[in-house]
Amino acid sequence: MSDQGEQKSFQERIDNGETIEPKDDMPDRYRKQLIRMMSQHAHSEVVGMLPEGNWITRAPSLRRKMILLSKVQDEAGHGLYLYSATETLGASRQEVIDQLLEGKAKYSSIFNYPTLSWADVAVIGWLVDGAAIINQTMLARSSYGPYSRAMVRICKEESFHKKQGYEMVAKMADGTPEQQEMIQDAVDRWWWPTLMMFGPHDEDSPNSAELIKWGVKSKTNDELRQSFVDRHIAEAHEVGLEIPDDELEYNEETGHWEFGEIDWDEFWNVVKGNGPMNKERIKARREAHENGKWVREAAEEYARKQKLSKEKAS
Ligand code: FAQ
């Protein structure tokens, strides 16, 4: 779409709240931005299975194990919907997965932190899924049909994830002194990395303005981060947990919590591949990809044979 008139009518469709579908004309840059964002999102879901997956074999009860297994499987499913949705834009699954395995693609910084205790599983459900829901509820209204529809289903599943996480947080916060200490320690370690999930401040976010113009995002990174903080401070206080931020202050006039500054050096360091777990995460994904090679080959062979027999029959 190079013609200015076409670009204008595309923008009019967006401004009228129309949904853009795979076969519609769209500016190259719109397509590229979506491929970037959706493939990073798919990678985040799949890499995001690793920190919690680490605890499946050590869950404290059968009930907790079943919930965690189901949650981690859900994340795999989210990755699949999102890879499929990205394929509708012409980016093959192979291509985007190769970018991840070669260390060229970004995925959410949050998954490069270690899960040191069972309490981390509770806090990931509460905070990380809580942050994901706030971001993804907005994306469920995004202008690109396959992305927004995937988000509707994903958000429903993430709501269950958050609930099971918060239930566990509340139980531990009301438990023995050791359990209380464990859960507070997990909140202390995950709070700031979770705030980083929303991305850089608006003035440092090169993509936001364009994504908002095209109706992919409808809120900025800082607006979403503020909603997250307001909601989760109330939830922390409800169960008697402290938020590790000395600068937290409720502003009566705005009705919002004011909070301290994120360590942006830490954020960019993690995004650039130097976080505590980046190398292990990529190593685990490469191994999983290698181990799944026979399945891909078998599926390709099956598809090839099906095609041949259909051709023979017609
Ligand atoms: N980590 O200009 P902006 C989940 C990069 S799913 C790494 O502000 P944008 C479910 C950004 O890509 C979590 N990189 O970018 C779950 C860009 O680099 P690029 C994932 C980050 O796109 C729960 C550069 O910085 N969710 O948790 C991060 O406008 C539990 C400049 O940034 C999504 O992916 C970061 N945190 O806004 C799974 C949602 N932040 O590409 C398992 C979809 C920024 O130009 C367990 N994505 N960067 O080289 C989005 O909403 C947006 O893409 C943002 C970034 C908000 C992530």
Side-chain angles (χ1 to χ4, degrees):
M1 186 185 271
S2 53
D3 182 81
Q4 279 208 330
E6 284 173 343
Q7 303 248 8
K8 193 164 165 265
S9 66
F10 178 80
Q11 189 62 48
E12 278 167 7
R13 289 190 63 195
I14 301 274
D15 297 342
N16 289 335
E18 280 181 47
T19 303
I20 308 301
E21 295 299 336
K23 288 190 176 143
D24 294 351
D25 278 342
M26 59 184 87
D28 279 351
R29 178 81 191 153
Y30 177 84
R31 186 185 298 277
K32 273 201 185 121
Q33 275 285 31
L34 280 169
I35 292 175
R36 174 190 71 83
M37 189 169 154
M38 289 163 63
S39 61
Q40 287 177 5
H41 193 165
H43 301 327
S44 304
E45 300 281 356
V46 171
V47 177
M49 295 163 71
L50 297 169
E52 288 171 285
N54 178 33
W55 281 90
I56 291 173
T57 54
R58 291 172 289 167
S61 69
L62 181 59
R63 175 173 175 263
R64 293 290 180 205
K65 190 190 281 245
M66 282 161 58
I67 295 173
L68 183 57
L69 266 173
S70 153
K71 178 185 191 299
V72 172
Q73 281 181 350
D74 284 351
E75 309 301 359
H78 300 173
L80 289 179
Y81 309 148
L82 288 166
Y83 283 127
S84 299
T86 312
E87 281 178 314
T88 66
L89 290 156
S92 79
R93 189 172 302 202
Q94 176 80 47
E95 190 186 321
V96 294
I97 289 179
D98 284 349
Q99 286 166 2
L100 173 71
L101 300 179
E102 286 161 15
K104 292 183 189 152
K106 291 193 174 73
Y107 58 87
S108 184
S109 50
I110 192 73
F111 302 118
N112 292 306
Y113 290 84
T115 38
L116 303 180
S117 84
W118 173 259
D120 292 32
V121 172
V123 168
I124 290 177
W126 174 42
L127 295 181
V128 177
D129 285 275
I133 292 168
I134 288 182
N135 174 266
Q136 292 172 178
T137 309
M138 165 191 78
L139 296 174
R141 296 186 297 269
S142 104
S143 56
Y144 188 56
Y147 196 23
S148 65
R149 289 190 288 272
M151 284 297 116
V152 172
R153 171 143 182 202
I154 289 178
C155 282
K156 285 187 182 149
E157 292 175 350
E158 303 286 31
S159 295
F160 152 72
H161 298 168
K162 180 178 172 185
K163 278 183 198 142
Q164 63 83 38
Y166 191 53
E167 187 236 15
M168 218 183 323
V169 166
K171 265 242 154 61
M172 291 185 82
D174 193 34
T176 63
E178 287 83 0
Q179 286 172 323
Q180 290 174 348
E181 205 178 299
M182 267 172 78
I183 198 72
Q184 184 62 58
D185 170 63
V187 173
D188 293 349
R189 284 181 290 105
W190 288 92
W191 177 256
W192 290 102
T194 305
L195 294 193
M196 294 174 195
M197 283 175 74
F198 294 94
H201 279 314
D202 298 347
E203 59 275 22
D204 301 320
S205 161
N207 299 297
S208 281
E210 194 171 48
L211 293 173
I212 288 175
K213 176 183 86 170
W214 279 328
V216 178
K217 284 178 168 183
S218 48
K219 291 195 173 129
T220 68
N221 297 354
D222 284 326
E223 284 170 342
L224 293 174
R225 187 165 19 240
Q226 185 67 55
S227 309
F228 171 84
V229 168
D230 291 340
R231 188 177 301 179
H232 287 77
I233 289 181
E235 290 173 3
H237 290 165
E238 193 77 29
V239 294
L241 286 168
E242 296 288 323
I243 296 295
D245 181 350
D246 297 339
E247 293 175 47
L248 269 191
E249 204 176 320
Y250 187 68
N251 184 326
E252 295 279 352
E253 263 174 47
T254 60
H256 294 298
W257 283 90
E258 286 167 5
F259 52 99
E261 191 52 276
I262 286 170
D263 181 344
W264 293 110
D265 289 340
E266 175 180 325
F267 170 73
W268 288 115
N269 199 37
V270 175
V271 172
K272 284 180 189 147
N274 305 315
M277 297 296 282
N278 294 60
K279 291 186 181 59
E280 279 196 49
R281 298 292 185 237
I282 293 298
K283 184 169 169 274
R285 285 312 313 155
R286 283 190 190 137
E287 280 169 11
H289 193 71
E290 193 51 35
N291 291 340
K293 194 172 166 207
W294 69 271
V295 181
R296 290 191 300 279
E297 284 172 357
E300 272 164 23
E301 186 57 17
Y302 178 76
R304 194 183 67 82
K305 286 202 170 137
Q306 288 286 95
K307 196 172 162 220
L308 267 182
S309 64
K310 264 194 195 147
E311 278 168 7
K312 268 190 198 153
S314 64

